Amino acid sequence: MLASRSDSQLRSLENPDKQTMRGESSKRSDKLLEIPRKKLNMRLYTEQEQKIQNLINSKSVTISIIALVGIYAILIFVIVALEELMDETEFNNVSIILSWIELGILIVFILEIAVGLYAWGVMKYYKDKWLILDTLIILLSLFFVIFELADQKTSNVVKVIQAVFRFLRIFLLIRKAQTFRRLSTISTISTPAEKIVRFLSELKEVIELESMKLDIDYCIDKIGNNQLYQMGKLDEDNAEAMGWLNQSQQGKSSVRKIVTVDQQQQQKKVLANFQKLNIPKRVLELLDKQHDDLYIDPFECDKLSGGEGLVYLMLFLFENYNLYDVFLIKPKVVRSYFEEVMRGYQDNPYHNRVHAQDVAQTCNFLLNRCKFIEIGQLDEQDIACVLIAGAIHDYGHPGLTNAFLINSKNDLALTYNDQSVLEMFHPSQCFKIAWTNQKANIFESLTFQKYRRIRESIISMVLSTDMAHHASELAITNSRVAAPDFEPYGKDKQRLMDLVVHSSDVSNPTKSFEIYKQWTERVLTEFWLQGDKERELGLPISYLCNRYTTNMAEAQLGFIDYVVKPTFSCVLGFLPAFEPYLENLDKNKAKWQELVGYYKQQLASIQTQ
């Protein structure tokens, strides 16, 4: 049965422009859309039902229900405690009041269920099987409370059963709290693509016709893979055209070998080999303990290593993952290469060798501690690509943004046609390092196919760090993670590798506040130096680059809300092991909120000078 909707909404469902329906299923889809709506077995929600659904899903209602469950849990403990402390007569007098309170709370829970059943219908509401258990517990608890109020002389058996059902409500409290925690990590910002995917997913749930569901899956897949404007399959007779269009796919190979490492045996080998490389003992000990830790101090590592932290980290990781065998090279070649890379990093406040080391190490944290190697079934080449991309992603960074380079008509902007200028520049120069210096050529022994795959993968990951494409790429990745055919080990693997590098690049707010604050001061110092140049040249001052108006704390609050939290919410979708570290975002955000007033005063004193 179809619920009522506005004429315009019904027309949009009945008569979509058939010219937009392309691909293998278009004819079937057009025929289906001509079928009377009743035959589609659809239940479209009324405007009132949708409003109720949004109200139930709102944070305020969710918090209220959690609070009520918490009060109920406290009430249960109070009842149990009083039963032990009071004699039977006193307890019976008090228990009447407590039972009425309990009855009121249970009635609210019953109303919550009733409203949910009205808004979604029985089938969709109980799609979450845990809600069936919730309903059963509430109804039986309600029965026992009413029974107790009607007859105070309950048997011991009834009391035991009643106590059991009371304590089962604590289970609901835990589950509700976890649900709200997941809800709080979801970004409130969405792109049109995400909204369309969400609408199609909801539409699929109310349609029972299997062929229509297949069409919706097809639409979600094409939107999620950003394939709306790609050509379909060409006729086999048109071999020349297929050859031209498929050139970019040549040289790609499937996953060969999954990394399996005996950690203890491997670590002994690593330590033995590093001793041969004469790496400082304190640096080796730090890397051995914290190479996959989110909270390693990159400034301390750089200090202990005499400024060569990036080189030592990459040597360590190459040994740890047997990457010397993959590249068929000796450690001295890797050392020479990353020494050249390290020297290419300029002495900027933020975009420097320490930042490169920090990003590479964070990539390793996501690979190892958060189990991306297992989830994505990464082989050694994949691991090498992620780590190298993290290490080189800002090579030669001039401490200026793409916008500045474009506005000032810089040679780099002219070279790369204003498109991802720095992100094009960084990998280009790092591949030149290898091919212009034989002693530092880590790619020399690779076959053409391996080299091509590694080169394409690294370039893709470095390009993913361009913030100009952050929102659109994150939206596509979100839709892929939510898609029914999501394959972190297959067709979605490179996209997830891109996100691992990009998220590592913006990961400072997920770390300890002491380290995070240092990075914040450094990046804003770099921005303000650019703003000074823009002011001198008469160029528009870029966002956050005006030292006289930028509040450091407010800038970070926005960075967390609009960039970091949405990014790591997406990461959490395929790396659930990251969930405990998300707490740092809220803790660090609270500390910046406390500092907003301090930085306002600081700005006021600067502006009056």
Side-chain angles (χ1 to χ4, degrees):
M1 179 178 178
L2 233 98
S4 61
R5 279 205 171 189
S6 67
D7 292 341
S8 61
Q9 287 174 312
L10 291 175
R11 281 197 300 271
S12 67
L13 287 171
E14 289 178 326
N15 300 310
D17 183 358
K18 293 182 181 179
Q19 291 183 355
T20 64
M21 304 292 287
R22 292 289 184 260
E24 298 174 356
S25 63
S26 61
K27 293 183 179 179
R28 186 176 76 253
S29 299
D30 290 343
K31 289 180 180 178
L32 285 171
L33 290 171
E34 293 171 359
I35 298 174
R37 295 188 302 278
K38 290 183 179 179
K39 293 185 179 180
L40 293 178
N41 298 317
M42 293 174 62
R43 181 185 188 276
L44 299 181
Y45 295 110
T46 65
E47 185 176 351
Q48 183 180 5
E49 288 172 336
Q50 290 176 340
K51 286 181 179 179
I52 295 173
Q53 290 172 6
N54 292 333
L55 178 64
I56 294 173
N57 287 331
S58 66
K59 285 189 178 182
S60 58
V61 172
T62 305
I63 293 172
S64 300
I65 295 298
I66 291 173
L68 199 60
V69 176
I71 293 170
Y72 190 31
I74 294 171
L75 181 66
I76 291 168
F77 286 112
V78 169
I79 291 173
V80 173
L82 291 178
E83 193 171 10
E84 293 293 327
L85 297 173
M86 294 181 173
D87 59 40
E88 186 175 354
T89 304
E90 291 177 336
F91 176 73
N92 286 337
N93 294 331
V94 176
S95 67
I96 294 175
I97 299 173
L98 296 177
S99 293
W100 280 107
I101 295 173
E102 186 176 0
L103 179 62
I105 293 174
L106 288 170
I107 289 173
V108 174
F109 291 149
I110 291 291
L111 289 174
E112 178 201 6
I113 293 171
V115 172
L117 289 172
Y118 170 77
W120 279 285
V122 176
M123 295 302 295
K124 186 173 180 182
Y125 183 79
Y126 284 120
K127 188 175 181 180
D128 181 358
K129 303 304 180 185
W130 288 111
L131 289 176
I132 299 175
L133 178 61
D134 291 346
T135 304
L136 180 63
I137 293 170
I138 292 169
L139 290 174
L140 288 174
S141 298
L142 183 66
F143 169 78
F144 285 119
V145 170
I146 294 173
F147 182 82
E148 185 177 0
L149 289 171
D151 180 12
Q152 293 297 310
K153 296 179 181 180
T154 55
S155 66
N156 291 330
V157 175
V158 173
K159 287 183 178 180
V160 170
I161 296 173
Q162 185 178 9
V164 169
F165 278 98
R166 280 173 173 163
F167 278 103
L168 281 174
R169 294 302 296 166
I170 298 174
F171 164 77
L172 177 63
L173 172 64
I174 297 170
R175 204 170 63 78
K176 288 276 189 182
Q178 290 175 338
T179 300
F180 177 71
R181 184 178 179 184
R182 288 194 297 270
L183 179 66
S184 65
T185 64
I186 297 174
S187 170
T188 57
I189 301 173
S190 58
T191 63
E194 288 179 286
K195 291 180 180 178
I196 292 170
V197 169
R198 192 180 303 120
F199 168 76
L200 290 173
S201 299
E202 292 175 357
L203 184 63
K204 181 183 173 183
E205 291 187 12
V206 300
I207 292 176
E208 296 179 8
L209 199 63
E210 289 301 321
S211 55
M212 180 68 85
K213 288 183 178 181
L214 292 174
D215 286 331
I216 292 176
D217 283 340
Y218 174 82
C219 295
I220 292 174
D221 176 67
K222 295 307 173 187
I223 294 171
N225 282 304
N226 199 26
Q227 294 178 341
L228 291 178
Y229 302 104
Q230 285 190 8
M231 295 181 66
K233 291 183 178 180
L234 297 172
D235 295 334
E236 292 183 2
D237 294 338
N238 200 343
E240 185 178 0
M242 291 182 68
W244 280 102
L245 291 173
N246 290 331
Q247 278 194 94
S248 62
Q249 302 300 320
Q250 294 173 1
K252 292 188 177 180
S253 57
S254 58
V255 174
R256 296 179 305 98
K257 181 180 177 183
I258 306 303
V259 175
T260 54
V261 180
D262 184 328
Q263 291 294 330
Q264 291 184 348
Q265 182 179 358
Q266 183 63 21
Q267 287 301 92
K268 290 180 181 178
K269 180 182 176 183
V270 169
L271 294 175
N273 286 344
F274 267 111
Q275 289 168 0
K276 296 177 183 178
L277 291 172
N278 197 28
I279 289 179
K281 182 179 179 182
R282 293 178 65 188
V283 177
L284 180 56
E285 290 174 349
L286 178 64
L287 292 174
D288 184 41
K289 292 179 181 178
Q290 294 186 277
H291 68 278
D292 62 349
D293 190 345
L294 186 64
Y295 304 118
I296 188 172
D297 186 342
F299 303 108
E300 178 67 15
C301 187
D302 186 67
K303 183 179 178 181
L304 289 175
S305 64
E308 294 191 67
L310 176 62
V311 176
Y312 295 153
L313 173 67
M314 297 308 293
L315 286 169
F316 184 95
L317 295 177
F318 262 66
E319 180 63 38
N320 196 48
Y321 292 114
N322 293 320
L323 301 184
Y324 295 115
D325 294 338
V326 174
F327 286 85
L328 302 175
I329 51 176
K330 295 181 179 179
K332 65 179 181 180
V333 178
V334 174
R335 182 169 196 147
S336 297
Y337 178 76
F338 285 106
E339 282 177 346
E340 289 292 328
V341 170
M342 181 190 67
R343 281 192 286 268
Y345 276 94
Q346 299 186 29
D347 192 21
N348 301 314
Y350 182 83
H351 292 99
N352 52 40
R353 65 175 187 270
V354 185
H355 171 64
Q357 173 198 326
D358 184 49
V359 171
Q361 192 275 327
T362 305
C363 287
N364 184 55
F365 160 78
L366 294 173
L367 288 171
N368 195 347
R369 188 73 64 91
C370 293
K371 303 186 184 303
F372 183 46
I373 291 175
E374 298 174 20
I375 292 169
Q377 296 184 15
L378 271 59
D379 62 15
E380 289 93 338
Q381 290 183 44
D382 295 322
I383 295 170
C385 290
V386 172
L387 296 176
I388 293 172
I392 72 167
H393 81 284
D394 274 331
Y395 173 89
H397 199 293
L400 301 165
T401 64
N402 284 336
F404 180 91
L405 298 176
I406 293 168
N407 292 338
S408 64
K409 301 177 180 60
N410 186 277
D411 285 344
L412 284 178
L414 296 174
T415 300
Y416 296 105
N417 299 315
D418 298 349
Q419 303 297 312
S420 299
V421 176
L422 289 171
E423 292 74 25
M424 291 282 194
F425 169 71
H426 304 316
S428 170
Q429 297 304 301
C430 288
F431 279 103
K432 283 183 180 179
I433 288 174
W435 294 109
T436 57
N437 183 350
Q438 187 175 2
K439 293 181 179 179
N441 191 352
I442 61 174
F443 308 114
E444 185 177 20
S445 299
L446 297 177
T447 64
F448 174 77
Q449 300 292 348
K450 277 188 178 181
Y451 172 70
R452 177 164 179 158
R453 176 189 169 193
I454 287 173
R455 175 172 163 79
E456 288 179 351
S457 183
I458 290 173
I459 292 173
S460 177
M461 283 183 273
V462 176
L463 287 175
S464 75
T465 63
D466 184 358
M467 288 301 299
H469 305 300
H470 166 80
S472 59
E473 289 300 312
L474 188 61
I476 295 171
T477 306
N478 268 320
S479 64
R480 284 304 308 146
V481 172
D485 61 339
F486 174 58
E487 292 182 0
Y489 47 83
K491 62 184 177 182
D492 295 305
K493 181 165 66 173
Q494 183 61 54
R495 176 168 290 280
L496 299 186
M497 290 165 64
D498 293 349
L499 183 59
V500 163
V501 174
H502 174 51
S503 61
S504 298
D505 193 26
V506 298
S507 65
N508 293 330
T510 67
K511 301 175 181 179
S512 68
F513 188 73
E514 292 73 20
I515 300 299
Y516 171 27
K517 190 169 183 289
Q518 287 188 64
W519 284 124
T520 300
E521 291 170 347
R522 286 169 173 267
V523 74
L524 284 176
T525 298
E526 191 171 299
F527 285 167
W528 293 339
L529 290 172
Q530 173 177 310
D532 295 341
K533 291 182 179 180
E534 289 172 329
R535 190 177 294 106
E536 291 174 7
L537 296 172
L539 297 173
I541 298 179
S542 302
Y543 179 60
L544 301 179
C545 293
N546 191 334
R547 67 171 70 245
Y548 302 109
T549 60
T550 302
N551 184 307
M552 185 178 294
E554 289 179 345
Q556 288 308 299
L557 292 175
F559 182 52
I560 290 173
D561 285 340
Y562 301 127
V563 176
V564 183
K565 199 164 190 175
T567 299
F568 280 95
S569 295
C570 184
V571 170
L572 192 62
F574 65 95
L575 297 182
F578 188 81
E579 184 171 6
Y581 301 93
L582 272 181
E583 294 179 0
N584 286 347
L585 284 177
D586 294 327
K587 291 178 181 177
N588 289 335
K589 182 179 176 180
K591 290 181 179 180
W592 283 119
Q593 286 171 332
E594 294 172 1
L595 292 171
V596 169
Y598 168 78
Y599 286 108
K600 281 184 178 178
Q601 292 180 353
Q602 193 178 72
L603 282 174
S605 64
I606 294 173
Q607 291 166 356
T608 56
Q609 291 178 359

